[in-house]
């Protein structure tokens, strides 16, 4: 054994103790939060500016390359952030193993599905088809 | 891999045993607003898909968003976003092992709570001023 293992043999075969992973979610959560903070200020300003705008104006605004890029960046960070946030919530409150796994799966489908829909729509608006 | 054997373990005291503190309240609100925003992204998707689809789909979205219930939901969404954002900033201090003193932790939590409400009202006031009546 290269590393000192303080667990008893019984604890080890019961799979108790460190899984040697699990900090990725925390790091991604903070990194995406750092991206979302300024981008959501941009989003709020954009939405306020677009209130009452007609279809052509709104489409031209969202279709501007800079706006599209910022919007897709925001959505991407949003998707990663919200998936982990709800994943942690499910892991905290859903204790039945089967329900937990299907809930986590549904969470991933919803999060990535929303991301896919938003990015496709933003690209379609941006490319003007 | 076999599932770990379920062992009855003692549980730590939970929510109902503690007295109210603002850090605790903001922690709970942070989670609730997070889940709310999660559902709210469906509205963002609807708005973008409507904008990509055409004028009719967009008009349909705008009529729902412009109704009183739509405005109520959007107002709630604004507050949830601003509150979650300000409340989330606290975690950057705490990750850096700063602001753990009781008074400082309370201060930044109250600031996030009050700032969230004030900013939400300010955003809607700006929206109303810019566009006349909503």
């Amino acid at each position: 054994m290269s590393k000192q293992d303080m667990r008893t043999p019984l604890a080890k075969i019961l799979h108790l103790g460190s899984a040697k992973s699990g900090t990725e979610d925390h790091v991604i959560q903070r990194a995406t939060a750092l991206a979302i903070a300024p981008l959501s200020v941009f989003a709020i300003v954009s939405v306020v500016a677009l209130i009452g705008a007609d279809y052509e104006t709104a489409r031209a605004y969202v279709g501007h390359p800079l706006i599209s890029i910022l919007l897709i960046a925001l959505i991407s960070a949003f998707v990663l952030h919200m998936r982990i946030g709800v994943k942690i919530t499910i892991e905290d409150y859903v204790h039945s193993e089967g329900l937990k796994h299907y809930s986590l799966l549904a969470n991933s489908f919803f999060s990535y599905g929303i991301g896919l829909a938003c990015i496709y729509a933003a690209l379609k608006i941006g490319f003007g088809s | 891999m076999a599932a770990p054997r379920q062992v009855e373990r003692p549980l730590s005291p939970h929510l109902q045993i503690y007295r109210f503190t603002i850090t605790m309240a903001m922690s709970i609100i942070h989670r609730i607003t997070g889940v709310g925003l999660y559902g709210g992204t469906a509205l963002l998707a609807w708005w973008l898909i409507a904008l990509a689809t055409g004028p009719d789909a967009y008009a349909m979205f705008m009529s729902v968003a412009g109704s009183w219930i739509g405005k109520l939901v959007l107002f709630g969404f604004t507050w949830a976003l601003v509150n979650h954002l300000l409340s989330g900033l606290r975690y950057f201090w705490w990750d850096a092992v700063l602001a753990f003193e009781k008074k400082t932790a309370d201060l930044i939590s109250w600031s996030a709570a009050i700032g969230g409400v004030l900013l939400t009202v300010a955003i809607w006031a700006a929206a109303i001023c810019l566009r006349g009546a909503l």
Side-chain angles (χ1 to χ4, degrees):
Chain A
M1 254 195 307
S2 54
K3 279 184 188 165
Q4 185 121 34
D5 192 340
M6 302 296 282
R7 284 181 298 174
T8 63
L10 178 63
K12 216 181 285 179
I13 61 155
L14 289 176
H15 301 108
L16 301 175
S18 159
K20 303 246 166 59
S21 70
T23 53
E24 311 91 48
D25 277 0
H26 176 84
V27 173
I28 294 171
Q29 200 66 347
R30 291 297 184 273
T32 50
L34 214 52
I36 290 167
L39 286 170
S40 58
V41 174
F42 144 78
I44 290 169
V45 171
S46 300
V47 169
V48 170
L50 281 177
I51 288 170
D54 60 10
Y55 176 75
E56 294 304 325
T57 314
R59 198 172 162 125
Y61 179 79
V62 175
H64 188 282
L66 263 180
I67 303 298
S68 288
I69 290 166
L70 288 175
L71 191 61
I72 291 168
L74 174 64
I75 291 160
S76 310
F78 241 19
V79 165
L80 297 174
H81 191 86
M82 74 193 221
R83 183 181 158 270
I84 292 171
V86 169
K87 177 175 177 249
I88 295 166
T89 309
I90 291 169
E91 288 167 347
D92 277 355
Y93 301 128
V94 182
H95 300 305
S96 135
E97 283 295 313
L99 185 61
K100 183 169 85 185
H101 280 98
Y102 283 110
S103 304
L104 290 172
L105 201 57
N107 174 39
S108 292
F109 284 171
F110 179 81
S111 302
Y112 292 133
I114 288 284
L116 186 69
C118 288
I119 290 170
Y120 179 84
L123 289 175
K124 189 169 189 293
I125 295 164
F127 295 146
S129 57
Chain B
M1 194 168 71
R5 196 161 54 115
Q6 292 296 317
V7 182
E8 284 298 321
R9 294 175 186 285
L11 295 170
S12 62
H14 204 49
L15 288 177
Q16 63 272 16
I17 209 159
Y18 296 108
R19 99 190 134 76
F20 176 90
T21 62
I22 187 64
T23 43
M24 163 265 265
M26 282 303 277
S27 173
I28 296 167
I29 292 170
H30 190 77
R31 184 160 270 193
I32 293 171
T33 50
V35 173
L37 291 166
Y38 178 89
T41 55
L43 297 175
L44 176 67
W46 182 14
W47 175 64
L48 276 173
I49 291 168
L51 194 58
T53 305
D56 292 344
Y58 190 68
M60 155 94 155
F61 172 86
M62 290 309 271
S63 71
V64 174
S67 67
W68 70 268
I69 187 127
K71 278 182 213 159
L72 193 69
V73 169
L74 286 175
F75 187 82
F77 190 84
T78 313
W79 172 75
L81 181 65
V82 172
N83 189 285
H84 196 82
L85 181 63
L86 293 180
S87 160
L89 289 178
R90 300 173 308 151
Y91 294 106
F92 287 98
W93 271 295
W94 289 332
D95 280 355
V97 204
L98 295 168
F100 270 118
E101 299 78 21
K102 210 166 91 185
K103 278 196 172 145
T104 327
D106 282 356
L107 178 72
I108 59 174
S109 300
W110 274 114
S111 306
I114 296 166
V117 174
L118 292 181
L119 257 178
T120 306
V121 172
I123 289 165
W124 278 71
I128 291 166
C129 287
L130 272 172
R131 297 288 161 183
L134 279 178

